[in-house]
Amino acid sequence: MSCRLSVNINKIATLRNARGHDLPNVVQVARDCETFGAQGITVHPRPDERHIRYQDVLDLAGIVTTELNIEGYPSQRFIDLALLVKPTQVTLVPDKPDAITSDAGWNTVKHASFLKEVVQTLNSSGIRTSIFTDPDLQMIEHAALCDCQRIELYTEKYARHSNPVQAIAPYVEAACRATSLGLEVNAGHDLNLINLPYFHRTIPCLKEVSIGHALICDALYYGLQNTIQLYLKCLQ
Ligand code: PXP
């Protein structure tokens, strides 16, 4: 398989939480995403559980048949959850508890020993580990020293730039350096139907993109099944 599409379903939980009942049902939506072609499901449980709840992750663990990716800040509670669920992948994100969304990659120099310890714990449980990074060569080189298997390139700067050709240059360099260090490359944040094709075409070594906000917004207009198919076409 070339680049997998992992659908981030946090927004589904946000919608459910707005009413306090169980509509939409997160587990059913995850099942449907897979039926409609998603090759992975991503969840980002935050400490205050304002989107995905820890219980959702436990429920999803039993039904996801593709790849479950749990992303978030590796607090002890988060690590305990990951060790219990044993997802295919954990993506380590340095987000603050009250962050609206992830807004930076790791400083892998400053947090080297912490990250190494976390990666070791997850790897010893057979969980693939990915470190969320900016397209910064030094950060990627130090991520490789943590023994993770992948990095996830933080794509907001690319997605928001007015000139994609200019914006993608550091990502190409970052992906090449990661590959040369034996790391596989994921990407995510602010990717959408407009900016994804060029990103994917220009960085052909991509293993996975995880997409939430834009995909769920598109689904309001095109429906979830059509939307997932449209994103899959961008990755062909
Ligand atoms: N990757 C990480 C680490 C994230 O925190 C998020 C947002 O939760 C995404 C990818 C997906 O970003 P978006 O919702 O903009 O598609």
Side-chain angles (χ1 to χ4, degrees):
M1 182 174 303
S2 50
C3 179
R4 300 177 84 102
L5 171 65
S6 186
V7 175
N8 179 319
I9 59 169
N10 263 49
K11 283 279 146 24
I12 302 298
T14 307
L15 185 57
R16 176 203 56 194
N17 298 350
R19 273 296 173 98
H21 299 295
D22 195 25
L23 191 69
N25 179 282
V26 165
V27 165
Q28 189 57 48
V29 172
R31 275 204 186 99
D32 291 338
C33 285
E34 290 186 320
T35 304
F36 299 153
Q39 296 132 334
I41 299 294
T42 292
V43 286
H44 192 141
R46 291 199 156 83
D48 59 6
E49 304 190 70
R50 65 187 188 274
H51 311 139
I52 283 287
R53 298 175 184 142
Y54 275 54
Q55 184 58 49
D56 292 326
V57 183
L58 296 172
D59 296 343
L60 288 163
I63 65 99
V64 169
T65 58
T66 54
E67 292 198 349
L68 179 62
N69 173 42
I70 308 179
E71 60 181 32
Y73 182 83
S75 62
Q76 191 56 52
R77 187 175 177 220
F78 178 93
I79 293 169
D80 290 345
L81 178 73
L83 295 176
L84 185 63
V85 164
K86 290 196 178 28
T88 306
Q89 177 176 275
V90 165
T91 301
L92 304 173
V93 185
D95 56 347
K96 297 174 201 74
D98 57 349
I100 293 174
T101 183
S102 314
D103 53 10
W106 281 97
N107 182 334
T108 54
V109 177
K110 188 171 169 196
H111 300 289
S113 58
F114 173 64
L115 285 169
K116 198 167 176 148
E117 195 183 321
V118 171
V119 168
Q120 212 165 41
T121 302
L122 295 168
N123 284 353
S124 64
S125 199
I127 300 167
R128 189 173 76 217
T129 315
S130 178
I131 292 182
F132 192 54
T133 52
D134 289 297
D136 175 307
L137 299 185
Q138 191 192 17
M139 294 305 143
I140 290 166
E141 283 156 11
H142 281 78
L145 296 176
C146 297
D147 296 327
C148 59
Q149 290 75 45
R150 293 193 182 184
I151 54 162
E152 179 183 325
L153 290 173
Y154 175 35
T155 46
E156 184 183 0
K157 280 202 188 95
Y158 160 76
R160 298 214 177 271
H161 203 288
S162 57
N163 181 340
V165 176
Q166 207 178 316
I168 208 161
Y171 290 87
V172 172
E173 218 186 333
C176 286
R177 180 61 59 88
T179 306
S180 75
L181 292 167
L183 294 167
E184 295 181 318
V185 180
N186 296 342
H189 224 287
D190 293 290
L191 294 174
N192 60 34
L193 289 171
I194 309 291
N195 59 37
L196 181 59
Y198 181 66
F199 194 83
H200 174 248
R201 233 183 10 256
T202 314
I203 306 184
C205 66
L206 276 185
K207 286 289 175 192
E208 176 192 284
V209 287
S210 67
I211 306 182
H213 188 81
L215 189 151
I216 301 302
C217 291
D218 289 332
L220 293 174
Y221 289 90
Y222 306 130
L224 190 55
Q225 182 164 14
N226 287 332
T227 300
I228 288 176
Q229 287 301 312
L230 289 170
Y231 276 84
L232 288 172
K233 275 210 183 93
C234 295
L235 298 172
Q236 273 168 10

